[in-house]
């Protein structure tokens, strides 16, 4: 094993293809190595290797059980001395614990106050409960009890025990080297071996920046397009092949080769997590570079920017990323050529809000940040005799495209779109006016905490920019809000400059975690990742991406026997952890995999109860969306474990059928909403939809925005915007039915009437006898 570890450590400087935990890790490529070579160039706030490393977070150190072999010495210690008095032994051990000198000495070996206490409790239990102790320890303790030894003689045995239950203490230097994430540019030696030309296409939405980059991509002999969404990869895939340039498609769940024999084409369109950093290209396009700071996915843009082997790298994104990309590539010695673009068609912010759904007109798009708002608003729109299309994030790609086509079709009576911010990327839509239904949306911060925040300038511009696009029939766009008191806030947001990008994401790789596991074989995968992040060192240009989703899946399948690499890959699967059916399916997939039983088509059909009927209500539609996610999970795993998930073609066929069923349901979404009991629909409607409300919570959000930074968490009334009422949660979880809800309402109304009657009776009695209960004055 030592030779194996030395071999791994000797390879640590070779670099490779990084593939941190996320949905689109390429199975055919190495998942990445750390690079510990010296720094190239210089950058701001770069940590020096000679600087003192940060202390580890010892709360993450989980003690392991000590395996003892008492048969080695038997009762030799007792035979040479005498049996130990447990009461006297307890006094000796407690005296040892209280000695400050021992605590200071332990601190020099890495035991802070927390670890020292935990180690002592374990050591004391070991000494008092073992029937026979090792002979040398028995003799030492016997001498101390008899007054012939010093209390400090216990220390070598104590620290040996501490290192047994906390094995990381003995290998902290190695763990720090493995988790050293400084100078990530050196992880990609193939990219560093060539002099790349980097061209930054900077501009707002609808400025033609990506168009110019794609023209260079199509004109090249070979190229790779790296986009943030499957829809964007599909669009470039189709555009390239329609232009006569053979192009393959690679996403986490799909591989499409235009060559019938499966040979790779010179061009490939892929989601950014799937790009290969070991294949050479003439031109590479990295779209939406500003997402390099994304708390969860930023590592993929960092990897592509630093690692792609292409003669020309065309980077597309917001101007706010220019300076940062220049600084990042300064560490590689590469210069950045900047091309700036202006918006091709103007858009203006209107002076009046829409105020009522009665004021909608063709080409309007109402943007919500809640699926429940979409249900409510679409129902109210169609109640007015209008048709609307619906697009939100959890819909399958085919359904999104179908709804977009319906909205764009000039011959279709559907002229209004209700959507989430999912329209910000990947869909070409004929929108004349963007209407923000709300300016507050849930976000996940760097710590993985969910919070409600006013949308940023970058987000507002991305959404507003969908109005009056160059390729649409509307040559000028308009932007407004649904409610008048939101309008000044929107104008304030759009008038500010986009915050400059300052940091790029990084993430631990499979190889790094495997080397951690060599040193800490008894630690769980979740704990390994926690310790890695705690010990990791990054310079001032980088941050470690959020790992909460990875840890959630790791904890879910910890009890299932899997080898570390398989466990790691399973935990990078792209699943929606809010969907119970998806989580249950993930667990069943892992359990079946651990038994070495292939997940065949018949097994999958039984699990999802295929065939499925069209949805009759919103609950049915949500379940069908979850089933579609489960089939996506199967396809994702099939490209990583082909022998265990063999029926890819059959699963893809039923997924297409399911997509059609969901499309049918979404086309009739208002009928589904009506079929869902009115009481439930009202319970699902969050206060942020604000139909017919006073707008108090909106004013609170607006005032908070105007008096503080737009990215700070809103206080006070903003909490009302969160859909977190007990009724709402019970309805969403299926724990409250229409009958139960009506019965509860009747009982509550009855209780209120009874309480009112009792109170009235009490008041009348008190009025008729005001002196009741008062002490009467004595007569003189």
């Amino acid at each position: 094993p030592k030779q194996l570890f030395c071999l791994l450590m000797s390879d640590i400087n070779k670099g490779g293809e990084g593939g941190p935990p996320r949905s689109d890790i390429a199975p055919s490529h190495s998942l990445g190595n750390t690079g510990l070579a010296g720094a190239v160039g210089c950058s701001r706030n770069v940590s020096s290797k000679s600087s003192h490393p940060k202390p580890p977070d010892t709360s993450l150190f989980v003690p392991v059980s000590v395996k003892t072999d008492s048969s080695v010495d038997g009762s030799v210690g007792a035979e040479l001395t005498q049996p130990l008095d447990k009461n006297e032994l307890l006094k000796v051990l407690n005296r040892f614990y209280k000695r400050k000198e021992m605590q200071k000495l332990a601190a020099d070996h890495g035991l802070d106050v927390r670890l020292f206490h935990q180690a002592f409790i374990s050591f004391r239990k070991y000494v008092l409960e073992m029937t026979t102790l090792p002979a040398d320890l028995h003799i030492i303790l016997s001498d101390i009890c008899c007054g012939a030894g010093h209390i400090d003689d216990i220390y070598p045995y104590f620290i040996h025990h501490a290192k047994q239950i906390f094995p990381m203490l003995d290998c902290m230097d190695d763990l720090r080297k493995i988790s050293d994430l400084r100078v990530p540019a050196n992880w990609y030696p193939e990219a560093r071996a060539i002099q790349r030309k980097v061209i930054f296409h900077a501009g707002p939405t609808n400025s033609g920046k990506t168009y110019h980059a794609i023209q260079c991509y199509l004109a090249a002999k070979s190229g790779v397009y790296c986009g943030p969404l499957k829809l964007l990869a599909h669009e470039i895939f189709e555009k390239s092949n329609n232009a006569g340039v053979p192009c393959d498609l690679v996403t986490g769940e799909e591989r499409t080769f235009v060559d019938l024999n499966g040979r790779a084409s010179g061009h490939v369109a892929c989601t950014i997590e799937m790009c290969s950093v070991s294949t050479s290209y003439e031109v590479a396009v990295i779209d939406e570079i500003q997402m390099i700071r994304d708390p969860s996915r930023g590592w993929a843009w960092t990897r592509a920017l630093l690692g792609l082997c292409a003669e020309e790298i065309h980077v597309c994104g917001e101007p706010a990323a220019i300076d940062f990309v220049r600084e990042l590539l300064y560490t590689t010695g590469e210069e950045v050529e900047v091309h700036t673009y202006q918006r091709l068609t103007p858009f203006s912010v209107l002076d009046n809000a829409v105020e009522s759904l009665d004021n909608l007109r063709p080409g309007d798009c109402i943007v919500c940040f809640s699926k429940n708002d979409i249900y409510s608003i679409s129902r109210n729109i169609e109640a007015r005799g209008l048709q609307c299309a619906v697009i939100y994030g959890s819909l399958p790609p085919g359904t999104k495209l179908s709804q977009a086509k319906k909205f764009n079709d000039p011959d279709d009576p559907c002229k209004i779109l209700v959507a989430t911010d999912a329209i910000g990327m990947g869909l070409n839509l004929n929108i004349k006016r963007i209407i923000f239904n709300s300016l507050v949306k849930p976000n996940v911060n760097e710590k993985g905490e969910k919070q409600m925040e006013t949308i940023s300038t970058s987000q507002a511009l991305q959404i507003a920019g969908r109005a009056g696009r160059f390729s649409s029939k509307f040559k000028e766009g308009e932007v407004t809000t649904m409610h008048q008191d939101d309008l000044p806030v929107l104008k304030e947001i759009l008038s500010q400059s986009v915050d400059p990008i300052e940091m790029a994401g990084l993430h631990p790789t499979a190889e790094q975690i495997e080397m951690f596991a060599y040193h800490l074989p008894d630690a769980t995968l979740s704990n390994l990742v926690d310790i890695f992040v705690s010990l990791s060192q990054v310079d001032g240009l980088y941050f470690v991406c959020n790992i909460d989703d990875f840890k959630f899946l790791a904890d879910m399948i910890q009890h299932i026997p899997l080898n570390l690499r398989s466990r790691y890959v399973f935990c990078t699967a792209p699943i929606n952890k809010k969907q119970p059916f998806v989580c249950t399916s993930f667990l069943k997939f892992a359990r079946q995999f651990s038994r070495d039983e292939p997940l065949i088509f018949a097994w999958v059909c039984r699990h999802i109860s295929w065939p499925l009927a069209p949805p009759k209500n919103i609950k049915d539609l949500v379940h069908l969306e979850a089933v579609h996610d489960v089939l996506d999970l199967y396809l994702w795993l099939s490209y990583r474990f082909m022998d265990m998930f063999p029926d890819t073609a059959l699963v893809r066929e039923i997924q297409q059928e399911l997509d059609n069923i969901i499309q049918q349901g979404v086309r009739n979404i208002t009928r589904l909403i009506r079929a869902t009991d009115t009481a439930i629909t009202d319970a699902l409607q969050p206060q942020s939809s604000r139909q017919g409300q006073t707008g108090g919570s909106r004013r609170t959000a607006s005032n908070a925005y105007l008096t503080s930074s737009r990215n700070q968490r809103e206080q006070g009334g903003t909490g009302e915007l969160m859909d977190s009422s007990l009724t709402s949660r019970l309805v969403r979880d299926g724990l409250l039915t229409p009958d139960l809800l009506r019965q509860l309402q009747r009982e509550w109304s009855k209780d209120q009437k009874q309480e009112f009657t009792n109170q009235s009776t009490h008041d009348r009695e008190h009025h008729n006898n005001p002196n009741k209960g008062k002490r009467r004055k004595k007569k003189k």
Side-chain angles (χ1 to χ4, degrees), residues 316-608:
C316 307
E318 296 175 354
I322 294 174
D323 290 341
F324 179 75
V325 170
R326 274 183 171 145
E327 189 170 5
L328 203 65
L329 294 181
Y330 182 69
T331 65
T332 68
E334 295 166 326
E335 297 180 358
V336 179
E337 177 183 320
V338 179
H339 296 176
T340 57
Y341 304 86
Q342 300 301 317
R343 185 175 166 88
L344 296 173
T345 56
F347 77 82
S348 57
V349 182
L350 302 181
D351 293 327
N352 296 304
V354 175
E355 293 289 0
S356 169
L357 296 179
D358 294 327
N359 298 326
L360 294 179
R361 55 180 187 244
D364 278 350
C365 172
I366 303 175
V367 176
C368 310
F369 298 115
S370 161
K371 191 192 295 186
N372 296 328
D373 280 352
I374 286 182
Y375 294 155
S376 173
I377 290 174
S378 59
R379 182 185 67 175
N380 288 327
I381 288 173
E382 298 215 0
R384 289 163 167 78
L386 303 173
Q387 291 190 28
C388 66
V390 172
I391 295 175
Y392 51 86
S394 59
L395 287 176
T399 305
K400 290 177 185 174
L401 291 171
S402 172
Q403 289 291 294
K405 183 178 179 181
K406 176 183 179 182
F407 175 70
N408 288 337
D409 187 354
D411 299 325
D412 195 294
C414 171
K415 301 300 180 187
I416 296 169
L417 175 64
V418 184
T420 63
D421 53 345
I423 64 164
M425 295 180 189
L427 292 168
N428 293 316
L429 298 162
N430 289 323
I431 298 173
K432 169 65 174 177
R433 182 172 62 168
I434 288 286
I435 303 167
F436 284 91
N437 185 60
S438 169
L439 297 176
V440 181
K441 68 170 291 186
N443 276 326
V444 178
N445 62 20
E446 289 82 355
K447 296 180 181 179
E449 300 166 340
K450 187 175 181 180
Q451 57 190 32
M452 301 299 291
E453 289 185 342
T454 304
I455 60 174
S456 67
T457 299
S458 177
Q459 291 168 331
L461 287 171
Q462 187 77 32
I463 297 168
R466 311 307 289 182
R469 286 182 63 84
F470 180 72
S471 58
S472 74
K473 66 179 182 180
F474 301 111
K475 301 308 178 186
E476 185 172 341
E478 298 173 346
V479 181
T480 187
T481 58
M482 179 62 72
H483 304 276
Q484 189 64 40
D485 53 351
D486 277 341
L487 194 54
V489 181
L490 177 63
K491 289 182 177 180
E492 175 71 14
I493 293 172
L494 292 174
S495 67
Q496 299 203 11
S497 58
V498 178
D499 293 334
I501 293 172
E502 297 179 340
M503 301 180 81
L506 296 173
H507 221 299
T509 66
E511 280 74 13
Q512 291 167 328
I513 299 304
E514 281 180 337
M515 284 195 277
F516 254 54
Y518 168 79
H519 288 289
L520 309 174
D522 296 312
T524 66
L525 178 56
S526 178
N527 190 228
L528 285 172
V529 175
D530 267 337
I531 296 174
F532 182 97
V533 174
S534 170
L535 294 176
S536 64
Q537 299 178 72
V538 295
D539 69 28
L541 293 174
Y542 302 96
F543 68 93
V544 179
C545 286
N546 182 273
I547 56 171
D548 283 354
D549 288 348
F550 182 88
K551 288 171 54 185
F552 175 83
L553 298 183
D555 289 336
M556 189 190 300
I557 62 172
Q558 182 55 44
H559 65 286
I560 298 176
L562 295 169
N563 64 60
L564 184 63
R565 178 58 69 106
S566 297
R567 188 182 301 277
Y568 180 97
V569 173
F570 262 87
C571 293
T572 64
I575 79 166
N576 181 359
K577 65 181 183 182
K578 297 178 183 177
Q579 284 281 3
F581 183 70
V582 178
C583 292
T584 301
S585 302
F586 173 79
L587 199 58
K588 289 184 177 181
F589 283 10
R591 189 175 291 118
Q592 186 87 347
F593 181 92
S594 71
R595 297 172 183 150
D596 204 24
E597 298 176 4
L599 286 83
I600 59 175
F601 179 70
W603 185 94
V604 174
C605 290
R606 284 196 304 273
H607 172 65
I608 65 173

Side-chain angles (χ1 to χ4, degrees), residues 17-26 187-188 226-229 270-277 285-308 328 504-509 542-546:
E17 180 168 342
R22 193 45 205 164
S23 63
D24 291 331
I25 294 177
W187 303 355
Y188 309 102
C226 309
L229 300 174
C270 62
T271 45
I272 194 159
E273 287 89 349
M274 295 304 298
C275 70
S276 168
V277 295
V285 177
I286 303 174
D287 208 357
E288 306 294 352
I289 188 62
Q290 67 273 6
M291 291 188 71
I292 200 169
R293 66 176 167 191
D294 186 85
S296 299
R297 299 178 66 198
W299 64 266
W301 277 263
T302 304
R303 172 176 169 268
L305 183 61
L306 296 178
L308 281 172
L328 203 65
L506 296 173
H507 221 299
T509 66
Y542 302 96
F543 68 93
V544 179
C545 286
N546 182 273

Side-chain angles (χ1 to χ4, degrees), residues 95-109 111 116 150-156 158-159:
R95 280 168 48 208
F96 170 82
Y97 175 73
K98 294 176 181 178
R99 282 184 57 77
K100 298 296 183 184
E101 293 82 355
M102 294 299 97
Q103 294 181 19
K104 291 179 180 177
L105 192 59
D108 293 338
H109 285 88
L111 271 73
F116 182 82
H150 195 279
I151 193 74
D152 293 354
D153 293 341
I154 297 175
Y155 181 77
F158 166 75
I159 198 66

Side-chain angles (χ1 to χ4, degrees), residues 394-400 402 581-582 601 604-605 607-615 620-633 635 650-667:
S394 59
L395 287 176
T399 305
K400 290 177 185 174
S402 172
F581 183 70
V582 178
F601 179 70
V604 174
C605 290
H607 172 65
I608 65 173
S609 302
W610 186 263
L612 293 164
D620 289 349
L621 180 61
V622 171
H623 177 69
L624 293 182
E625 292 170 7
V627 174
H628 192 279
D629 287 346
V630 170
L631 298 181
D632 255 351
L633 174 62
L635 295 172
L650 293 172
V651 169
R652 195 176 299 284
E653 285 181 15
I654 65 171
Q655 188 186 44
Q656 184 57 55
E657 290 182 42
L658 178 59
D659 198 335
N660 294 333
I661 295 173
I662 294 174
Q663 287 181 37
Q664 177 184 344
V666 173
R667 280 195 295 270

Side-chain angles (χ1 to χ4, degrees), residues 111-356:
L111 271 73
D112 61 9
V113 176
R114 180 201 301 271
L115 295 186
F116 182 82
H117 178 73
Q118 287 184 281
F120 173 75
I121 296 297
S122 176
F123 181 69
R124 184 178 63 187
K125 181 179 180 182
Y126 165 73
V127 170
L128 295 178
E129 295 184 2
M130 283 292 293
T131 53
T132 56
L133 293 170
D136 52 349
L137 176 58
H138 186 108
I139 294 170
I140 289 292
L141 293 173
S142 177
D143 288 348
I144 296 172
C145 291
C146 296
H150 195 279
I151 193 74
D152 293 354
D153 293 341
I154 297 175
Y155 181 77
Y157 301 94
F158 166 75
I159 198 66
H160 175 72
H161 181 87
K163 290 182 176 180
Q164 281 186 302
I165 65 170
F166 295 116
M168 62 285 296
L169 297 175
D170 243 353
C171 55
M172 195 61 67
D173 288 342
D174 287 332
L175 295 180
R176 289 188 191 279
K177 289 178 182 178
I178 296 168
S179 59
D180 191 338
L181 301 181
R182 294 172 293 185
V183 203
N186 290 349
W187 303 355
Y188 309 102
E190 294 176 0
R192 301 291 76 78
I194 61 176
Q195 189 64 30
R196 306 182 305 171
K197 180 180 180 181
V198 182
I199 302 169
F200 195 124
H201 300 268
T205 304
N206 192 30
S207 60
K209 57 184 183 296
T210 306
Y211 169 82
H212 287 88
I214 293 300
Q215 295 308 303
C216 298
Y217 164 84
L218 295 175
K221 295 178 181 177
S222 62
V224 57
Y225 168 83
C226 309
L229 300 174
K230 287 185 281 188
L231 282 174
L232 286 171
H234 270 276
E235 181 183 343
I236 300 303
F237 165 72
E238 293 177 354
K239 184 177 294 185
S240 182
N241 285 301
N242 290 339
V245 179
C247 177
D248 298 332
L249 176 68
V250 178
T251 70
E253 300 80 18
E254 188 174 359
R255 309 287 188 279
T256 302
F257 297 97
V258 292
D259 185 272
L260 298 178
N261 296 321
R263 288 191 294 267
S265 302
H267 289 69
V268 59
C270 62
T271 45
I272 194 159
E273 287 89 349
M274 295 304 298
C275 70
S276 168
V277 295
S278 60
T279 305
S280 295
Y281 302 100
E282 184 178 340
V283 167
V285 177
I286 303 174
D287 208 357
E288 306 294 352
I289 188 62
Q290 67 273 6
M291 291 188 71
I292 200 169
R293 66 176 167 191
D294 186 85
S296 299
R297 299 178 66 198
W299 64 266
W301 277 263
T302 304
R303 172 176 169 268
L305 183 61
L306 296 178
L308 281 172
C309 297
E311 298 172 23
E312 284 186 9
I313 306 285
H314 291 261
V315 178
C316 307
E318 296 175 354
I322 294 174
D323 290 341
F324 179 75
V325 170
R326 274 183 171 145
E327 189 170 5
L328 203 65
L329 294 181
Y330 182 69
T331 65
T332 68
E334 295 166 326
E335 297 180 358
V336 179
E337 177 183 320
V338 179
H339 296 176
T340 57
Y341 304 86
Q342 300 301 317
R343 185 175 166 88
L344 296 173
T345 56
F347 77 82
S348 57
V349 182
L350 302 181
D351 293 327
N352 296 304
V354 175
E355 293 289 0
S356 169

